[in-house]
CSV table of all heavy atoms in Angstrom, one decimal:
chain,number,residue,atom,x,y,z
A,716,THR,N,-31.0,8.9,-12.6
A,716,THR,CA,-31.3,9.0,-11.2
A,716,THR,C,-31.8,10.4,-10.9
A,716,THR,O,-31.8,11.3,-11.7
A,716,THR,CB,-30.0,8.7,-10.4
A,716,THR,OG1,-29.0,9.6,-10.8
A,716,THR,CG2,-29.6,7.3,-10.5
A,717,GLU,N,-32.2,10.5,-9.6
A,717,GLU,CA,-32.9,11.7,-9.1
A,717,GLU,C,-32.2,13.0,-9.4
A,717,GLU,O,-32.7,13.9,-9.9
A,717,GLU,CB,-33.2,11.5,-7.6
A,717,GLU,CG,-34.0,12.6,-7.1
A,717,GLU,CD,-34.0,12.5,-5.5
A,717,GLU,OE1,-33.5,11.6,-5.0
A,717,GLU,OE2,-34.6,13.5,-4.9
A,718,ASN,N,-30.9,13.0,-9.1
A,718,ASN,CA,-30.1,14.2,-9.3
A,718,ASN,C,-29.3,14.1,-10.6
A,718,ASN,O,-28.3,14.8,-10.8
A,718,ASN,CB,-29.2,14.4,-8.2
A,718,ASN,CG,-30.0,14.6,-6.9
A,718,ASN,OD1,-30.7,15.5,-6.8
A,718,ASN,ND2,-29.8,13.7,-6.0
A,719,TRP,N,-29.6,13.2,-11.5
A,719,TRP,CA,-29.0,13.1,-12.8
A,719,TRP,C,-27.5,12.7,-12.7
A,719,TRP,O,-26.7,13.0,-13.6
A,719,TRP,CB,-29.1,14.4,-13.6
A,719,TRP,CG,-30.5,14.6,-14.1
A,719,TRP,CD1,-31.6,14.7,-13.4
A,719,TRP,CD2,-30.8,14.8,-15.5
A,719,TRP,NE1,-32.7,14.8,-14.3
A,719,TRP,CE2,-32.2,15.0,-15.6
A,719,TRP,CE3,-30.1,14.9,-16.7
A,719,TRP,CZ2,-32.9,15.2,-16.7
A,719,TRP,CZ3,-30.8,15.1,-17.9
A,719,TRP,CH2,-32.2,15.3,-17.9
A,720,ILE,N,-27.1,12.1,-11.6
A,720,ILE,CA,-25.7,11.8,-11.5
A,720,ILE,C,-25.4,10.5,-12.3
A,720,ILE,O,-24.4,10.5,-13.0
A,720,ILE,CB,-25.3,11.6,-10.0
A,720,ILE,CG1,-25.3,12.9,-9.3
A,720,ILE,CG2,-23.9,11.0,-9.9
A,720,ILE,CD1,-24.8,12.9,-7.9
A,721,VAL,N,-26.2,9.5,-12.2
A,721,VAL,CA,-25.9,8.3,-13.0
A,721,VAL,C,-27.0,8.2,-14.1
A,721,VAL,O,-28.2,8.3,-13.8
A,721,VAL,CB,-26.0,7.1,-12.1
A,721,VAL,CG1,-25.6,5.8,-12.8
A,721,VAL,CG2,-25.1,7.2,-10.8
A,722,ARG,N,-26.5,8.0,-15.3
A,722,ARG,CA,-27.4,7.8,-16.4
A,722,ARG,C,-27.1,6.5,-17.0
A,722,ARG,O,-26.0,6.2,-17.3
A,722,ARG,CB,-27.2,9.0,-17.4
A,722,ARG,CG,-27.2,10.3,-16.7
A,722,ARG,CD,-27.4,11.5,-17.7
A,722,ARG,NE,-28.8,11.4,-18.2
A,722,ARG,CZ,-29.3,12.2,-19.1
A,722,ARG,NH1,-28.5,13.1,-19.6
A,722,ARG,NH2,-30.5,12.1,-19.5
A,723,ILE,N,-28.2,5.7,-17.2
A,723,ILE,CA,-28.0,4.4,-17.8
A,723,ILE,C,-28.7,4.3,-19.2
A,723,ILE,O,-29.8,4.8,-19.3
A,723,ILE,CB,-28.6,3.3,-16.9
A,723,ILE,CG1,-27.9,3.4,-15.5
A,723,ILE,CG2,-28.3,1.9,-17.4
A,723,ILE,CD1,-28.5,2.6,-14.4
A,724,TYR,N,-28.0,3.9,-20.1
A,724,TYR,CA,-28.5,3.7,-21.5
A,724,TYR,C,-28.5,2.3,-21.9
A,724,TYR,O,-27.5,1.5,-21.6
A,724,TYR,CB,-27.7,4.6,-22.5
A,724,TYR,CG,-27.8,6.1,-22.2
A,724,TYR,CD1,-27.0,6.7,-21.3
A,724,TYR,CD2,-28.7,6.8,-22.9
A,724,TYR,CE1,-27.1,8.0,-21.0
A,724,TYR,CE2,-28.8,8.2,-22.7
A,724,TYR,CZ,-28.0,8.8,-21.7
A,724,TYR,OH,-28.1,10.1,-21.5
A,725,GLN,N,-29.5,1.9,-22.7
A,725,GLN,CA,-29.5,0.5,-23.2
A,725,GLN,C,-29.0,0.6,-24.7
A,725,GLN,O,-29.5,1.5,-25.4
A,725,GLN,CB,-30.9,0.0,-23.1
A,725,GLN,CG,-30.9,-1.5,-23.5
A,725,GLN,CD,-32.2,-2.1,-23.1
A,725,GLN,OE1,-33.2,-1.5,-23.1
A,725,GLN,NE2,-32.2,-3.4,-22.9
A,726,VAL,N,-28.2,-0.3,-25.0
A,726,VAL,CA,-27.7,-0.4,-26.4
A,726,VAL,C,-28.8,-1.0,-27.3
A,726,VAL,O,-29.4,-2.1,-26.9
A,726,VAL,CB,-26.4,-1.2,-26.5
A,726,VAL,CG1,-25.9,-1.2,-28.0
A,726,VAL,CG2,-25.4,-0.6,-25.6
A,727,LYS,N,-29.1,-0.3,-28.4
A,727,LYS,CA,-30.2,-0.8,-29.2
A,727,LYS,C,-29.8,-2.1,-30.0
A,727,LYS,O,-28.6,-2.3,-30.3
A,727,LYS,CB,-30.6,0.2,-30.3
A,727,LYS,CG,-31.4,1.3,-29.8
A,727,LYS,CD,-31.8,2.2,-30.9
A,727,LYS,CE,-32.6,3.4,-30.4
A,727,LYS,NZ,-32.8,4.4,-31.5
A,728,LYS,N,-30.8,-2.9,-30.3
A,728,LYS,CA,-30.6,-4.0,-31.2
A,728,LYS,C,-30.3,-3.5,-32.6
A,728,LYS,O,-30.8,-2.4,-32.9
A,728,LYS,CB,-31.8,-5.0,-31.1
A,728,LYS,CG,-32.0,-5.6,-29.8
A,728,LYS,CD,-31.1,-6.8,-29.6
A,728,LYS,CE,-31.2,-7.3,-28.2
A,728,LYS,NZ,-30.3,-6.5,-27.3
A,729,PRO,N,-29.6,-4.3,-33.4
A,729,PRO,CA,-29.4,-3.8,-34.8
A,729,PRO,C,-30.7,-3.7,-35.5
A,729,PRO,O,-31.8,-4.3,-35.2
A,729,PRO,CB,-28.6,-5.0,-35.4
A,729,PRO,CG,-28.1,-5.7,-34.3
A,729,PRO,CD,-29.0,-5.6,-33.1
A,730,ASP,N,-30.7,-2.9,-36.5
A,730,ASP,CA,-31.9,-2.6,-37.3
A,730,ASP,C,-32.5,-3.9,-38.0
A,730,ASP,O,-31.7,-4.7,-38.5
A,730,ASP,CB,-31.6,-1.5,-38.3
A,730,ASP,CG,-32.9,-1.1,-39.0
A,730,ASP,OD1,-33.8,-0.7,-38.3
A,730,ASP,OD2,-32.9,-1.1,-40.3
A,731,ASN,N,-33.8,-4.0,-38.0
A,731,ASN,CA,-34.4,-5.2,-38.5
A,731,ASN,C,-34.0,-5.5,-40.0
A,731,ASN,O,-33.9,-6.6,-40.4
A,731,ASN,CB,-35.9,-5.2,-38.4
A,731,ASN,CG,-36.3,-5.5,-37.0
A,731,ASN,OD1,-35.5,-6.2,-36.3
A,731,ASN,ND2,-37.5,-5.1,-36.6
A,732,ILE,N,-34.0,-4.4,-40.8
A,732,ILE,CA,-33.7,-4.6,-42.2
A,732,ILE,C,-32.3,-4.1,-42.6
A,732,ILE,O,-32.0,-3.8,-43.7
A,732,ILE,CB,-34.8,-3.8,-43.0
A,732,ILE,CG1,-34.9,-2.4,-42.6
A,732,ILE,CG2,-36.1,-4.5,-42.9
A,732,ILE,CD1,-35.8,-1.6,-43.5
A,733,GLY,N,-31.4,-4.1,-41.6
A,733,GLY,CA,-30.0,-4.0,-41.9
A,733,GLY,C,-29.5,-2.7,-42.2
A,733,GLY,O,-28.4,-2.5,-42.6
A,734,ARG,N,-30.3,-1.6,-41.9
A,734,ARG,CA,-29.7,-0.3,-42.1
A,734,ARG,C,-28.8,0.0,-40.9
A,734,ARG,O,-28.9,-0.6,-39.8
A,734,ARG,CB,-30.8,0.8,-42.2
A,734,ARG,CG,-31.7,0.6,-43.3
A,734,ARG,CD,-32.9,1.5,-43.2
A,734,ARG,NE,-33.7,1.1,-42.0
A,734,ARG,CZ,-34.8,1.7,-41.6
A,734,ARG,NH1,-35.3,2.7,-42.3
A,734,ARG,NH2,-35.5,1.2,-40.6
A,735,THR,N,-27.9,1.1,-41.1
A,735,THR,CA,-27.3,1.5,-39.8
A,735,THR,C,-28.3,2.2,-39.0
A,735,THR,O,-29.3,2.8,-39.5
A,735,THR,CB,-26.1,2.5,-40.2
A,735,THR,OG1,-26.7,3.6,-40.9
A,735,THR,CG2,-25.1,1.8,-41.1
Side-chain angles (χ1 to χ4, degrees):
Chain A
T716 55
E717 187 188 351
N718 299 298
W719 285 56
I720 290 185
V721 187
R722 314 198 65 183
I723 302 170
Y724 294 84
Q725 187 169 27
V726 181
K727 281 186 187 174
K728 293 279 169 279
D730 188 54
N731 279 339
I732 51 175
R734 295 167 298 180
T735 61

